[in-house]
Amino acid sequence: MLFTADGLNPREYSPLALAFLGDSVYEQFVREKLLHEANRPARQLHDAAVARVRAEYQAMAADTILGLLTEEEMDIYKRGRNASGISVPRHASVADYRKATGFECLFGYLQLCGRRSRLEELFAAVWTAGESSESQTAVGMQTAALEKDEQPEE
């Protein structure tokens, strides 16, 4: 087991402290990926990042990677998901926020353990699933718009 610079085992940090770190780790991955995809105006980059770091998206991300997690990683995810003292924002459901906290907790833990390649592997799975989900949403919106146009007016 890796110990951090302060001599603590990463498992000894509280789940919310791990989630605090994991939030920034995950956001860094998102920002770098968006920047490498295209040189866009800062506002577009910001909007795209916000869409991928909100609780609803992170809950989907958690669902995506659950089948990929080791027993140790699943334990860390559950510690974060089940942590007490979580204040859920108005725009998120309790279930989504808890999953997002578990997801962030796992990313924080892996960061403290120095498991960069594992973080990259999990992030790649999340990003791919997100792109698939976004294309399905776009197709659904286009289909709904077409169906609306085809309905006779009353």
Side-chain angles (χ1 to χ4, degrees):
M1 175 60 61
L2 179 74
F3 287 82
T4 61
D6 57 10
L8 286 177
N9 177 330
R11 284 186 158 274
E12 293 177 8
Y13 284 93
S14 77
L16 296 182
L18 292 172
F20 170 77
L21 176 61
D23 177 56
S24 68
V25 171
Y26 174 69
E27 185 165 355
Q28 177 88 26
F29 271 99
V30 168
R31 287 172 176 247
E32 285 183 21
K33 181 71 172 171
L34 290 170
L35 192 61
H36 290 295
E37 282 187 341
N39 188 8
R40 299 186 260 186
R43 183 64 190 181
Q44 287 180 9
L45 290 168
H46 172 76
D47 290 345
V50 167
R52 295 235 182 190
V53 299
R54 69 184 199 282
E56 181 183 54
Y57 189 91
Q58 287 184 359
M60 179 279 304
D63 289 339
T64 298
I65 64 169
L66 285 180
L68 305 174
L69 300 183
T70 65
E71 188 176 322
E72 173 193 20
E73 292 167 345
M74 182 63 85
D75 178 54
I76 297 298
Y77 165 77
K78 287 179 179 178
R79 281 183 57 213
R81 185 196 62 198
N82 298 333
S84 59
I86 294 175
S87 298
V88 180
R90 285 177 285 170
H91 66 275
S93 74
V94 172
D96 281 353
Y97 200 74
R98 287 192 167 282
K99 286 180 183 180
T101 302
F103 178 79
E104 292 171 346
C105 182
L106 176 61
F107 268 60
Y109 176 79
L110 292 172
Q111 177 72 20
L112 284 179
C113 289
R115 296 183 188 163
R116 178 74 182 191
S117 61
R118 182 60 173 155
L119 283 165
E120 290 170 353
E121 180 183 341
L122 294 175
F123 180 77
V126 166
W127 194 266
T128 301
E131 287 179 334
S132 172
S133 174
E134 287 170 357
S135 7
Q136 290 174 357
T137 301
V139 168
M141 290 170 62
Q142 289 170 349
T143 303
L146 288 173
E147 289 172 354
K148 181 181 176 189
D149 289 342
E150 293 173 0
Q151 292 179 357
E153 292 186 26
E154 294 178 24

